[in-house]
Amino acid sequence: MNTFETLESNVRSYCRSFPVVFNKAKNDVLYTEAGEGYIDFFAGAGALNYGHNNDFMKNRLLDYLTSDRIMHGLDMYTTAKQEFIESFSERILRPKGLNYKLQFCGPTGTNAVEAALKLARKVKKRNGVFAFMGAFHGMSLGSLSITSNNSMRESAGVPLNNVTFIPYNSTFNGMDTILYMEQLLTDTHSGVEKPAAIILETIQAEGGINIADNEWLRDLRQLCDDHDILLIVDDIQVGCGRVGSFFSFERAGIVPDMVVLSKSISGYGLPMSLLLLKPELDIWSPGEHNGTFRGNQLAFVGAKAALEFRDTVGLEAQVKEKEAFVQQFLREHIQTMDPLIEIRGLGLIWGIDVTHLGEAFAKEVATLCFSKGLIIERAGRNDTVLKIMPALTISMENLIKGCNIIKESMAQVTSNLVTL
């Protein structure tokens, strides 16, 4: 550990919760240098929906690497890019009746968020954006401006302007949030200018697994239509099959004006981000938004393979089966421990909200889980939500084992509290 503690910046974070040196990984298990295995309920913060070192994708990548194909291409035309675009259109967009153009951005999600914000403002010729309390969209300045966490925002070092934060989902302390936005937009004394766009996650992952109601999402789409506002869905963490369907917004039957993808879009955990935009919004001048690594050729190969893998193994049905198990387990074994514990989730992203027990309780449970061989992250306000987010390909054996570790750890920490 001395190498990291001495030479790596203090900004490192996840490694502080999981203080071992990892060396290998396969599907749903990470292995340390000493060969100890840890079931992974973290999945690279959602970048590994298809597990570690998926053989189907790995073989495609190895074939590409050994054939002296293009490795760096900026935004030039390449075979790898063409094949991904065609596959994405044929397997995802056309069957869902979606008409989007594809913009390849820099290597991480925040790059695509920045592009979406810039383009929305360019199209509508307005400065403002509506975002939501509990949102996380990235750490570069534009993305940070629409991220609500105060401690993260303070790191910017400059004012983060032109954003109005709205309470998330249908009601907030009895408030109808759609009606609230309507009043902001129509009251000549609201003091709030009409925004260029409203951006949201249909499930706030880092925010604590907060799930937007289908009806509310439809009402939000209508609000945007009524007021000539673009609707942007950030599907970076909860897209690419995390909830079962490829896009998280499909359940509500809405079509966003723009969709932001990253993390698992590349399939293998390689850096890639993608902005989907309606064709009429594509008013960029050539090179107006660019980046050296917006053409990650290996990511294109992995992304195409991931789309084929999804269909080959019937992944959407698998997710629904595992979703049913997790939901039942949490209701029967976790929520019964304490009626104040809240359980929230869809597909294979679930949260155990122990806010009433406090941050220390949640941290102790996560730490104990790690000591028992499970990697689990905390999310939400004050990190009081235990976040279950395994690979979509996780074996039922390890899914059951991991859930049992959570149950045992929570029972043990609860018992210690009672003893004290």
Side-chain angles (χ1 to χ4, degrees):
M1 294 293 174
N2 287 339
T3 298
F4 303 108
E5 293 172 1
T6 302
L7 298 175
E8 189 178 4
S9 167
N10 287 331
V11 79
R12 64 191 188 278
S13 58
Y14 293 122
C15 56
R16 299 180 189 273
S17 298
F18 315 119
V20 295
V21 180
F22 293 106
N23 184 43
K24 294 181 66 176
K26 192 66 180 176
N27 192 26
D28 48 26
V29 180
L30 281 160
Y31 298 93
T32 68
E33 287 183 319
E36 300 166 315
Y38 290 82
I39 297 172
D40 187 0
F41 271 20
F42 179 46
L48 296 165
N49 281 5
Y50 309 102
H52 297 270
N53 291 301
N54 180 288
D55 287 330
F56 187 90
M57 299 169 209
K58 179 170 66 178
N59 290 333
R60 297 290 182 86
L61 292 167
L62 289 173
D63 288 345
Y64 191 88
L65 278 169
T66 56
S67 59
D68 289 335
R69 305 282 290 280
I70 299 295
M71 286 298 295
H72 181 270
L74 294 166
D75 70 347
M76 291 188 285
Y77 302 138
T78 67
T79 303
K81 183 199 281 190
Q82 179 177 347
E83 290 180 350
F84 166 71
I85 292 174
E86 291 173 349
S87 182
F88 190 78
S89 177
E90 292 168 8
R91 292 177 181 272
I92 302 296
L93 297 182
R94 288 181 190 171
K96 299 179 186 301
L98 297 173
N99 183 22
Y100 287 126
K101 295 186 75 173
L102 281 64
Q103 179 179 345
F104 298 102
C105 307
T108 68
T110 194
N111 301 120
V113 172
E114 296 283 353
L117 295 176
K118 284 173 62 175
L119 183 57
R121 286 166 169 147
K122 179 179 175 67
V123 169
K124 294 301 180 184
K125 296 180 172 58
R126 304 179 205 133
N127 296 325
V129 172
F130 280 9
F132 291 92
M133 298 176 185
F136 177 82
H137 295 286
M139 297 295 283
S140 52
L141 287 181
S143 301
L144 194 55
S145 73
I146 52 173
T147 293
S148 65
N149 185 303
N150 285 335
S151 63
M152 291 180 178
R153 293 173 62 84
E154 288 169 3
S155 70
V158 296
L160 300 172
N161 300 323
N162 300 315
V163 178
T164 301
F165 282 96
I166 306 294
Y168 185 72
N169 208 0
S170 55
T171 59
F172 179 80
N173 292 334
M175 175 198 302
D176 181 332
T177 56
I178 296 294
L179 179 58
Y180 173 65
M181 285 184 277
E182 179 75 31
Q183 291 175 331
L184 287 180
L185 294 168
T186 57
D187 186 347
T188 57
H189 284 63
S190 71
V192 177
E193 296 180 0
K194 180 189 292 189
I198 298 177
I199 185 168
L200 82 155
E201 308 147 278
T202 68
I203 302 173
Q204 292 182 335
E206 299 304 315
I209 323 303
N210 305 313
I211 303 172
D213 301 334
N214 289 345
E215 184 177 357
W216 183 79
L217 289 171
R218 289 190 285 269
D219 289 344
L220 183 63
R221 172 70 276 183
Q222 188 62 53
L223 179 81
C224 289
D225 290 341
D226 291 345
H227 293 280
D228 187 34
I229 298 167
L230 298 178
L231 180 63
I232 305 171
V233 167
D234 180 340
D235 241 3
I236 290 171
Q237 190 161 155
V238 296
C240 301
R242 176 53 57 181
V243 300
S245 56
F246 189 84
F247 297 110
S248 72
F249 55 82
E250 293 180 57
R251 60 188 168 91
I254 63 170
V255 178
D257 298 297
M258 300 185 205
V259 183
V260 183
L261 295 170
S262 186
K263 291 190 183 287
S264 281
I265 186 62
S266 75
Y268 205 73
L270 298 169
M272 178 178 174
S273 76
L274 179 62
L275 175 63
L276 307 180
L277 59 148
K278 290 183 175 179
E280 63 269 23
L281 303 179
D282 189 20
I283 63 171
W284 292 115
S285 299
E288 191 173 4
H289 187 85
N290 58 46
T292 304
F293 296 103
R294 64 192 184 279
N296 188 334
Q297 305 300 308
L298 279 180
F300 293 150
V301 174
K304 177 176 180 287
L307 299 178
E308 295 174 17
F309 176 79
R310 284 177 51 81
D311 292 342
T312 300
V313 303
L315 193 60
E316 186 168 336
Q318 286 190 36
V319 171
K320 290 302 179 182
E321 178 185 354
K322 293 167 186 175
E323 173 191 46
F325 164 77
V326 174
Q327 182 176 25
Q328 182 177 0
F329 185 95
L330 295 180
R331 301 293 183 200
E332 293 182 358
H333 298 284
I334 302 299
Q335 202 163 37
T336 52
M337 290 182 181
D338 182 338
L340 295 179
I341 291 175
E342 290 188 26
I343 302 298
R344 300 186 293 270
L346 281 176
L348 278 179
I349 179 167
W350 287 83
I352 303 171
D353 191 335
V354 294
T355 298
H356 67 292
L357 295 171
E359 180 180 357
F361 179 89
K363 183 176 182 179
E364 190 171 351
V365 171
T367 301
L368 191 56
C369 284
F370 183 68
S371 72
K372 295 175 181 290
L374 176 71
I375 295 173
I376 187 168
E377 184 189 11
R378 294 179 295 134
R381 290 160 173 83
N382 301 312
D383 288 335
T384 53
V385 179
L386 297 163
K387 181 180 176 186
I388 299 173
M389 192 170 62
L392 308 183
T393 55
I394 189 171
S395 68
M396 281 303 300
E397 178 185 1
N398 280 341
L399 184 59
I400 293 169
K401 186 176 179 181
C403 286
N404 277 319
I405 290 174
I406 296 172
K407 180 181 73 171
E408 294 163 8
S409 299
M410 289 190 67
Q412 187 173 330
V413 175
T414 301
S415 177
N416 292 341
L417 286 175
V418 172
T419 303
L420 291 174

